[in-house]
Amino acid sequence: MPKNISEKMFKNNAFCELLGIEYPIIQGGMAWISDAELAAGVSNAGGLGLIAAMSSNGEQLRAEIQKCKKLTDKPFGVNIMLMSPFCDEVAKVVIEEGVKVLTTGAGNPAKYMPMWLEAGIKVIPVTASVAHAKLMQRAGASALIAEGQEAGGHIGELTTMALIPQVADAVTVPLAAAGGIADGRGIAAVFMLGAEAVQVGTRFLVAKECGIHQNYKDFVLKANDVATTVTGRRTGHPVRSLKSEFSRSFSKIENDPNVTDEEIGKLGSGALRAAAKDGDKLKGSFMAGQIAGLVNKEQTAKDIIEEMFSKAKELLS
Ligand code: TUI
């Protein structure tokens, strides 16, 4: 434990140095949500903005990366969702576009690691277990993001509270924590557990730079502590989202033994887009973390980051 934790939190923190950023905060790479504008907003505010490659094919991602380069001269990264049908092509586009930092989610990026490392890219896998974290460190990860099941979207088994200290003890690379962090108290807590950075998704859903449908933002702003639920456990792809018509009908169908896994899979596709782009309360899957109940105002990315870190610093000094 460093002598002065508040010093470690800011500019000279290993995580900041690794990525060339000011505040040790990464914006979640949220499918259909994390675009060039949100990523640039976060990067311009001193964090690491991410473009989510999940919903894009190679050329769509290339256009988004080029747009982001015009909006910021600060470092930004790309999140690659390993269940994406476009994974192989986006894995190459990030190299061609000279992207410096990648995060990966929902699987094992081992297949792509050699080519990314060869290109000098810093790879930061999202992990949900100690075994996977160790595997990723051995494969050449520059840092790790350990994500607890409080997070929105695709989740693992463990809570942030249990996962972070166990991963911190098992690896030597810099560690970021994700899942359930939306204010300075969350930052302070996970720093005490052994993380030296945070990844935040839910609070950035209501950032002014976030272009999702207003219905989605309002849904998050009105959410309380018990507003989220997990569906998809049956197919091995658990997803946390806000309770809605969609999640209720998904749960009903999921519990029906006469429905096949394939039929369930089809049900989910398009639901994230329907939420993010159309704000469709019937067909949309409004992914958000358990901390949504704490998120109650729209702010710029800069105000969000500064407010979070000033509170964390006050708590830790
Ligand atoms: O990837 C996420 N969150 C996501 S991806 C997503 S898109 C989607 N849409 C519809 C259905 C399903 C997904 C929405 N939210 N977070 C990162 C994350 N990765 N959380 C947990 C994990 C994880 C889980 C298991 C990482 C590795 C892992 O290892 C398994 C293995 O292959 O060894």
Side-chain angles (χ1 to χ4, degrees):
M1 187 72 72
K3 283 200 189 93
N4 183 345
I5 190 106
S6 66
E7 238 170 58
K8 184 185 167 233
M9 286 181 62
F10 296 98
K11 286 176 184 155
N12 297 325
N13 163 324
F15 221 98
C16 294
E17 272 178 22
L18 178 74
L19 302 177
I21 56 176
E22 191 180 349
Y23 293 102
I25 183 166
I26 303 170
Q27 159 241 316
M30 301 170 280
W32 287 106
I33 296 169
S34 302
D35 60 5
E37 257 136 60
L38 180 58
V42 171
S43 288
N44 284 331
L48 185 79
L50 291 183
I51 296 169
M54 161 65 190
S55 45
S56 332
N57 63 31
E59 289 319 302
Q60 287 163 333
L61 177 66
R62 191 190 304 283
E64 213 57 32
I65 293 169
Q66 290 176 355
K67 188 171 170 190
C68 198
K69 285 177 188 164
K70 291 198 182 107
L71 295 172
T72 184
D73 53 7
K74 301 268 178 68
F76 68 90
V78 169
N79 168 262
I80 297 194
M81 212 288 266
L82 295 157
M83 281 165 20
S84 162
F86 307 113
C87 230
D88 286 352
E89 52 184 288
V90 299
K92 288 189 199 128
V93 167
V94 290
I95 297 175
E96 288 159 13
E97 288 300 317
V99 171
K100 306 260 183 324
V101 186
L102 289 179
T103 66
T104 65
N108 187 344
K111 174 181 163 190
Y112 306 109
M113 287 295 269
M115 71 190 225
W116 289 336
L117 297 178
E118 170 85 4
I121 297 175
K122 292 187 177 89
V123 186
I124 311 182
V126 176
T127 185
S129 70
V130 167
H132 184 261
K134 284 179 166 170
L135 194 70
M136 292 298 99
Q137 176 170 272
R138 272 203 304 279
S142 295
L144 289 166
I145 301 166
E147 186 184 273
Q149 60 114 318
E150 296 91 324
H154 178 78
I155 51 168
E157 286 284 329
L158 294 171
T159 59
T160 300
M161 185 79 152
L163 179 66
I164 302 305
Q166 296 190 72
V167 173
D169 282 354
V171 299
T172 53
V173 292
L175 179 64
I181 304 159
D183 67 6
R185 292 172 295 182
I187 298 177
V190 296
F191 270 58
M192 289 293 115
L193 296 175
E196 44 191 328
V198 291
Q199 178 181 271
V200 170
T202 302
R203 186 150 177 196
F204 284 125
L205 287 173
V206 300
K208 295 247 199 284
E209 296 89 338
C210 182
I212 54 173
H213 196 282
Q214 192 61 39
N215 286 355
Y216 200 149
K217 291 194 176 189
D218 290 343
F219 210 0
V220 173
L221 292 167
K222 287 189 192 127
N224 66 10
D225 56 336
V226 291
T228 73
T229 187
V230 177
T231 53
R233 289 204 191 277
R234 179 175 140 182
T235 54
H237 302 302
V239 166
R240 182 179 300 286
S241 62
L242 293 168
K243 289 173 189 164
S244 66
E245 277 311 311
F246 176 81
S247 71
R248 273 183 280 274
S249 59
F250 196 106
S251 290
K252 230 183 253 163
I253 293 167
E254 193 176 29
N255 290 326
D256 183 343
N258 298 317
V259 179
T260 65
D261 282 3
E262 206 186 358
E263 282 169 300
I264 294 174
K266 278 190 199 140
L267 205 68
S269 70
L272 244 188
R273 188 197 178 284
K277 301 289 171 205
D278 309 330
D280 188 330
K281 285 288 186 79
L282 289 177
K283 297 195 199 112
S285 171
F286 295 81
M287 296 187 187
Q290 287 185 322
I291 206 70
L294 212 70
V295 176
N296 49 31
K297 56 181 187 284
E298 272 189 80
Q299 289 167 294
T300 62
K302 185 170 189 287
D303 288 348
I304 291 173
I305 292 174
E306 286 177 359
E307 190 179 293
M308 287 180 75
F309 279 93
S310 98
K311 183 68 182 177
K313 191 172 178 184
E314 179 194 316
L315 289 171
L316 292 174
S317 37

